[in-house]
Amino acid sequence: MQDTSFELGGMKFKSRLIVGTGKYRDFAETKAAVEESGAEIVTVAVRRVNITDRGKENLLDYLDPKRYQILPNTAGCFTADEAIRTCRLAREVGVGELVKLEVIGDKQTLFPDVAATLEAARVLVKEGFKVMPYVTDDPVTCLRLQEIGCVAVMPLAAPIGSGLGIRNPFNLAIIIEQAKVPVIVDAGVGTASDAAEAMELGCDGVLMNTAIAGAKDPIAMARAMKLAVEAGRLAYRAGRIERKLYATASSPLTGLIG
Amino acid sequence: MPDSIATSITLNGDPYPLSADTPLIALLERLNMRRGRVAVEINREIVPKANYDATIVRAGDHVEIINFVGGG
């Protein structure tokens, strides 16, 4: 069963797994995990360069922007203005218009500031950015972001880095049903079954970082996630059976011995 | 006005000595930074890459140079 390609902001991708590049031991491990995951889109953070340590290697030396679509994020931004400024700077590095917009509303939960996210999305879309907003799993907010012109919506499964898995599959189902843009579950995935569940629900993709980078063996987990996203997508397309309360026998009821 | 004020900029939030007005491209070279890996703001205005050669960093300027790091 040939999958349709995954279209995002006018670009086509084969992999539906988007991976982050944070929390790895070093760039070599980052590169190995990204390769093993099969991801074609990788998120990066935007930070001040280290002035005192000038000989330092650059992340892009390990993740060639010609091979990977680089997706700069606005992690750490608590206001729309900070997020907008970060996106403008990120674009000037020269890796395209795609940005992961996140405006954090609370330090402990890292839940999004929905009002500020909407405000920043409006400005960024007008400036030609292809905005992928990280957002609460709220169907109405996802609709609003879609109306604004975001190229995807990225509802969280659970708090960032929590590994709690999909806390509200029913809201996600509504978001997926209403969406005209790709729905990408972003944040909260803990293990392969969480990623598969997201895809079985009908999500277009899954974005994760900690679940891979924080695993005991990140390279093995990267492969597990690749397979889980593929398996979940295939199961979704195959069409699962209905849930029933009682058993239905798998073997014929006729021709029994005796 | 003391020399130390007249001959320094604020670079990524910290004072950074600059002997004279300097082309941005020279500052980047001195810092061993490749133009394809960074983006620059001077006094909150983004400097397009095409203008790196023509842009002069002057005393008192607030310069931000960013790059990409690991993140999720």
Side-chain angles (χ1 to χ4, degrees):
Chain A
M1 200 175 186
Q2 188 74 35
D3 195 2
T4 49
S5 63
F6 167 42
E7 205 172 317
L8 193 64
M11 295 174 284
K12 284 185 176 172
F13 300 96
K14 287 193 197 85
S15 171
R16 292 171 178 273
L17 174 59
I18 303 175
V19 295
T21 54
K23 300 185 182 175
Y24 286 101
R25 228 182 351 237
D26 50 37
F27 287 151
E29 189 185 61
T30 312
K31 181 185 170 153
V34 170
E35 275 177 5
E36 196 69 18
S37 76
E40 295 165 292
I41 308 172
V42 294
T43 61
V44 299
V46 178
R47 293 291 180 271
R48 284 170 163 170
V49 296
N50 190 334
I51 301 296
T52 48
D53 181 13
R54 295 176 209 167
K56 204 171 55 142
E57 288 172 311
N58 188 284
L59 179 61
L60 295 189
D61 297 335
Y62 285 78
L63 298 170
D64 183 356
K66 289 191 197 82
R67 178 172 168 194
Y68 295 103
Q69 173 64 48
I70 304 294
L71 176 60
N73 70 27
T74 62
C77 292
F78 281 78
T79 66
D81 281 347
E82 285 166 18
I84 293 163
R85 185 183 181 196
T86 302
C87 287
R88 287 173 180 157
L89 276 165
R91 176 158 68 179
E92 193 50 41
V93 177
V95 294
E97 270 78 37
L98 210 61
V99 287
K100 171 180 162 177
L101 172 64
E102 51 178 303
V103 187
I104 302 300
D106 173 62
K107 277 195 173 113
Q108 192 172 15
T109 59
L110 297 180
F111 280 145
D113 182 324
V114 170
T117 303
L118 289 164
E119 185 190 338
R122 270 186 207 104
V123 174
L124 291 167
V125 167
K126 269 191 197 131
E127 292 186 11
F129 285 95
K130 293 172 181 173
V131 182
M132 300 169 66
Y134 154 75
V135 67
T136 324
D137 54 0
D138 170 43
V140 175
T141 306
C142 287
L143 271 184
R144 294 292 169 267
L145 288 163
Q146 176 177 294
E147 287 159 12
I148 285 169
C150 293
V151 298
V153 288
M154 303 208 293
L156 55 85
I160 294 172
S162 69
L164 286 173
I166 296 168
R167 303 323 304 145
N168 200 338
F170 303 104
N171 269 27
L172 274 184
I174 295 170
I175 292 167
I176 291 160
E177 201 174 289
Q178 294 180 333
K180 294 188 179 69
V181 295
V183 177
I184 296 161
V185 157
D186 178 10
V189 163
T191 188
S193 53
D194 298 334
E197 185 187 357
M199 296 310 292
E200 285 168 14
L201 282 167
C203 287
D204 297 276
V206 182
L207 194 163
M208 64 180 76
N209 189 155
T210 308
I212 296 175
K216 284 203 180 91
D217 183 341
I219 313 301
M221 188 58 90
R223 179 156 174 75
M225 292 302 186
K226 170 189 160 76
L227 297 173
V229 168
E230 285 174 6
R233 174 68 183 172
L234 193 55
Y236 168 72
R237 284 170 52 80
R240 62 153 296 151
I241 60 162
E242 293 299 313
R243 288 181 173 86
K244 291 180 217 127
L245 193 56
Y246 295 104
T248 48
S250 306
S251 305
L253 297 172
T254 55
L256 288 164
I257 302 157
Chain B
M1 194 182 283
D3 272 5
S4 60
I5 292 172
T7 57
S8 80
I9 59 169
T10 303
L11 179 57
N12 286 356
D14 291 319
Y16 183 84
L18 210 61
S19 54
D21 291 355
T22 305
L24 175 57
I25 192 70
L27 177 64
L28 291 175
E29 274 164 18
R30 191 197 299 177
L31 295 168
N32 196 21
M33 280 162 199
R34 288 163 289 166
R35 68 163 79 197
R37 294 284 186 260
V38 298
V40 182
E41 246 184 15
I42 298 180
N43 303 326
R44 285 264 182 167
E45 292 286 325
I46 287 189
V47 184
K49 280 195 203 304
N51 297 356
Y52 282 5
D53 296 288
T55 300
I56 306 296
V57 180
R58 298 175 202 285
D61 278 350
H62 285 256
V63 181
E64 292 282 346
I65 309 176
I66 63 88
N67 64 354
F68 292 146
V69 300

